[in-house]
Structure formats: structure tokens, C-alpha cells
């Protein structure tokens, strides 16, 4: 575990709320913490897979599947990254306002997924969180395996579904929550074998255990 020694004894990620027992690394910053999972998620959303550095002249474009990529000079993703940095630093209202404005402007599925995904995490009301989770899922549904954003979106699907399942569970919509949790489990195979993948898998398992426990009590 890689944590700073000069702050609280029980730090949590300022973005996802994971504690030191749930992640491999937790890094401190000015007034905030970020875990390796959230670093990975941000990197995956902003850059996606790397473009192949060489491509034959007659090779079809755009790339798809594992070779698809999000251009690293994408100005919209750069703006989303800046807004998320503000959110991580505690400027939640400013970040929410910026995401609202971005939402009215963006059209590309990856951009809409990213804005809605992050916006959902800024909501205190589970109904509002679900509204943004559903927007992210609707945008993700547009991304087929042949879509240019497929490689960047694939690792995010499990997180999108488990987030929606959590919000539905908190709203007491148990059957809908179980449906979304099932979709999250199906999407686990697309998660990378790293800190981000481990974090999302742990969220799926924790929510499943919590829901099963409540079902037993009924």
C-alpha cells in the first residue's frame, strides 16, 4: 500500500470513497486523495488505447476493437480532465456546473459517457445519481464493437452498470438493481487485470453481498 504518512490514519479516495483496504495505492494531494483505480479510470477515459504508431497506407481507418483509440489531443477530454481535477480538489459545485455545460455541448458517445459518469459521482441524491448513470449507459449502448470508441468504453461498462445498480438499490428498486448488477458481472471480463479492475470487481462483489444479505433478512 502506498500512502502518505503525514495525513489522517484512515484516508479514503476523494473520488470513489475507497479506503486503504480496498486499493493497492492511495496517493495524497492538496486537500485530496486519489486511488490507483481512479487514476486508471481517468487515464482510460481520457486516452483510451494507444494508437498504433505505424499503419500501412492502405489499412482501413478508423481503427476498431483493441486498436481503437481516443486521440490524446482531444480538447473535450482535456476539458473533462480539468473539471475532474477540480472535483477531486473539493470544488464539487463548480465541477457540477461545468459538467452541466459540457453535457449540453457534447455529442460523441465517449464524451457523453465521461461527463455523465463523473457527474453521477457528484450527486448526493441517489435519484439524481441514477439519472446520470442512465445517461452514461444510454451513451454506452450506442458504442458497438465496430465503433471508434469501443476500446476506450469496454473497460468502463462494468463500472457504469454497478454504479446504476448501487443507485437503484439505494432507491429500493431491488429487481432493477439486480438486473444492473447482473450486467456488471457480465461486463467484468472486459475489466483490465490491474488496480482499476480489482476496484470495480470489489464493488460488484460488495454490492452483491449487501443485496444478498438484505434479501435473507426479508
Amino acid at each position: 500500500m502506498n500512502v502518505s504518512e503525514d495525513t489522517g490514519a484512515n484516508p479514503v479516495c476523494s473520488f470513489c470513497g475507497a479506503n486503504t483496504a480496498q486499493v493497492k495505492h492511495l496517493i495524497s494531494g492538496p486537500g485530496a486523495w486519489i486511488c490507483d483505480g481512479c487514476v486508471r479510470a481517468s487515464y482510460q477515459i481520457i486516452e483510451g488505447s494507444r494508437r498504433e504508431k505505424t499503419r500501412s497506407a492502405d489499412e482501413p481507418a478508423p481503427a476498431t476493437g483493441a486498436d481503437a483509440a481516443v486521440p490524446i489531443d482531444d480538447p473535450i477530454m482535456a476539458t473533462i480532465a480539468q473539471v475532474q481535477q477540480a472535483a477531486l480538489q473539493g470544488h464539487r459545485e463548480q465541477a457540477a456546473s461545468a459538467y452541466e455545460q459540457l453535457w449540453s455541448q457534447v455529442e460523441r458517445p465517449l464524451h457523453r459517457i465521461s461527463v455523465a459518469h463523473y457527474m453521477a459521482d457528484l450527486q448526493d441524491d441517489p435519484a439524481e445519481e441514477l439519472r446520470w448513470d442512465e445517461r452514461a449507459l444510454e451513451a454506452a449502448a450506442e458504442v458497438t464493437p465496430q465503433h471508434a470508441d469501443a476500446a476506450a468504453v469496454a473497460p468502463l461498462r462494468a463500472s457504469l452498470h454497478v454504479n446504476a445498480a448501487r443507485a437503484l438499490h439505494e432507491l429500493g428498486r431491488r429487481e432493477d438493481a439486480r438486473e444492473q448488477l447482473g450486467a456488471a458481472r457480465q461486463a467484468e471480463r472486459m475489466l483490465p487485470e490491474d488496480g482499476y479492475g480489482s476496484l470495480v470487481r470489489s464493488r460488484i462483489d460488495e454490492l452483491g453481498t449487501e443485496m444478498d444479505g438484505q434479501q435473507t433478512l426479508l
Side-chain angles (χ1 to χ4, degrees), residues 52 54-62:
E52 291 182 346
T54 58
R55 183 177 295 278
S56 61
D58 59 349
E59 187 172 357

Side-chain angles (χ1 to χ4, degrees), residues 22 158 161-170 174 177-185 188 199-217:
Q22 297 173 299
H161 284 296
V162 75
N163 285 357
R166 167 61 69 181
L168 287 162
H169 178 59
E170 292 180 1
R174 293 184 176 84
R178 287 198 174 278
E179 182 178 345
Q180 286 297 326
L181 185 63
R185 284 174 170 152
E188 279 189 78
L199 180 62
V200 176
R201 289 185 182 95
S202 70
R203 287 178 178 169
I204 293 171
D205 291 341
E206 287 169 6
L207 181 56
T209 299
E210 182 179 339
M211 291 172 65
D212 289 342
Q214 290 190 358
Q215 181 67 31
T216 301
L217 294 174

Side-chain angles (χ1 to χ4, degrees), residues 3-182:
V3 299
S4 174
E5 298 179 354
D6 59 357
T7 55
N10 298 300
V12 298
C13 177
S14 303
F15 177 46
C16 69
N19 59 38
T20 54
Q22 297 173 299
V23 297
K24 293 182 179 180
H25 302 286
L26 194 59
I27 306 162
S28 65
W33 291 83
I34 187 168
C35 69
D36 60 315
C38 287
V39 170
R40 165 71 187 183
S42 298
Y43 178 85
Q44 185 69 42
I45 291 173
I46 295 168
E47 294 194 5
S49 309
R50 290 284 186 179
R51 286 189 185 277
E52 291 182 346
K53 292 184 178 179
T54 58
R55 183 177 295 278
S56 61
D58 59 349
E59 187 172 357
T64 60
D67 293 332
V70 180
I72 60 175
D73 60 349
D74 182 336
I76 298 296
M77 296 309 293
T79 300
I80 292 172
Q82 292 173 354
V83 175
Q84 186 57 20
Q85 183 177 16
L88 288 169
Q89 292 173 345
H91 305 297
R92 292 169 60 88
E93 292 185 4
Q94 294 178 13
S97 177
Y99 282 140
E100 284 275 13
Q101 183 174 358
L102 278 170
W103 180 255
S104 67
Q105 299 171 350
V106 296
E107 297 182 358
R108 182 176 173 180
L110 179 63
H111 295 161
R112 287 189 285 134
I113 291 167
S114 303
V115 171
H117 186 49
Y118 282 139
M119 186 65 159
D121 287 324
L122 292 176
Q123 307 306 310
D124 296 320
D125 180 355
E128 275 300 296
E129 180 180 354
L130 178 61
R131 185 167 71 93
W132 286 102
D133 286 333
E134 289 176 336
R135 285 177 168 178
L137 286 168
E138 287 170 3
E142 298 176 20
V143 181
T144 65
Q146 294 74 37
H147 196 284
D149 289 339
V153 172
L156 304 176
R157 292 183 184 276
S159 181
L160 298 180
H161 284 296
V162 75
N163 285 357
R166 167 61 69 181
L168 287 162
H169 178 59
E170 292 180 1
L171 289 168
R173 294 171 56 181
R174 293 184 176 84
E175 291 303 318
D176 292 334
R178 287 198 174 278
E179 182 178 345
Q180 286 297 326
L181 185 63

